[in-house]
Amino acid sequence: MQDYPKLNISTFASWSPSGDNPLIIAGPCAAESKEQVNNTARRLVENGGVHIFRAGLWKPRTSPNSFTGVGRVGLKWLKSVKKTYSIPIATEVMSAKQLLLAVDSDIDYVWIGARTSVNPYSMDEIAAAMGNIDIPVFIKNPLTPDLSAWIGAIERINNAGINKIAVVHRGFQSVYSAPLRNEPIWNIPIKLKCLYPSMPIICDPSHITGNTKFIANIVNKAISLDVSGFMIEVHENPSAALTDEKQQLTPTELSVLLKKIDGFVSNSLSLHAQISNDEEYTQIDHLRALIDSFDENIIKTLSQRFEATKEIGEIKKKLNISALQVTRWQEVMKNRLEEGKKLGLSEQFTTNLMELIHDEALKSQE
Ligand code: PEP
Ligand code: MN
C-alpha cells in the first residue's frame, strides 16, 4: 500500500459561504473587460444562488496568439464587483507573484489550476509565498490522471499553513475523453474522498464537458457522489467569449441549472432515505452480494495465476531467457480478446485488463 500524507483540513462548513447547501462558484472563464465582468456579476447576483464570483485573469493558452487574459488590471474590476454587489471574489493564481497581487486586491479565495497543480515546482513556489496569507484555496486536479500528484499539490499548500482547502475535480486530459473535453475518471476523486473523508470536493462540469449540453448530466452524477459544490463558467454572451465559448452558460441558463441542482439534491436525499425499504434496493443488495462473491473469485484466480507465472519465472531464470516473450504474449492477447469478445467484453477493457495482469506478472518474474 502506498503511503499517503496526513492532512490537516478544516471542515467545509467552518468556512464555506454556502452553509449546508452546495457551494456555487460562477463567473466567466476569463475577465475580458470591466463591462463584461460587471454585467455578468450583476446578472448573477440579481438571479441569486451564487456564493462566489469567479473570473480568470491570466489565461495560459495553447497558442501564443490567443487571448491570454487581461492580467492585473482585472483585479480592480473584481474588487469593484465585490464592493458593488457584496459578493466574495475568486481568481486563479499560477505563481507567487500573482498570489501576492490577488491578495493585495482583497481577493477572498484563490484557485490553483490544472496546469499548475501538475507542476511540483510551481506548487513549491506558491506554497512558499503563502507566508501569513490565510485565505481558502481551491486546488484543481492536475491535467494528468495522477492522484499522487494531486495529493502532493494539496500537501504543499497544507504544509504552508493553509487548512481551508477544497479540491476541484475538472477532469483529466485523455485520448478517451470524447465527447467530453476532459475525462472525469470518477474513481480518482472517489479515492481521494476515501483517503480524506473531510476533504470537500467541488465539481467543475464546465471543464469536464467543454460543452454546455453535457453539463446537467455531469452535475447529476457529481451529486450522487456527494460533492460539496460546483464551479461553473458563466458569460453574459458566451458566443462572443474570448475563451472557452462552448462551455460557458448564460446567467439565465445558470439559473435553470441551479433549479435542477436543487431537484437533483432532494432526489438524492430521498433516495438515501428510501434505501432500506424499497424492493429495488433489496434487489440491489442481492446483486451486490453476488458481485462480492465474483470479486472474491477474481482475486483468488489472479493470485493462482501469479503463482504459476512466478514458477515459470524461476524456470526462465535457469534457462537464462528473458521474462518477456513477445510471440507468446501476442498469442495470449489475441486469444483473450477473442474469448472476451464472445462473452461481450469490450476490446478496450480486455486489452487494459490483460496489459495490467501481464505487467504485474513480468514484474514478479524480473
Ligand atoms: C479555469 O477555471 O478557468 C481554468 C483554466 O481551469 P483549469 O485549470 O481546470 O483548466
Ligand atoms: Mn475556462
Side-chain angles (χ1 to χ4, degrees), residues 265-275:
V265 170
S266 43
N267 251 346
S268 138
L269 288 177
S270 68
L271 270 184
H272 281 301
Q274 270 179 37
I275 274 181

Side-chain angles (χ1 to χ4, degrees), residues 29 54 59 207 233 244 247:
C29 174
R54 65 148 278 160
K59 305 300 298 181
H207 289 90
E233 289 189 341
D244 288 356
Q247 71 190 36

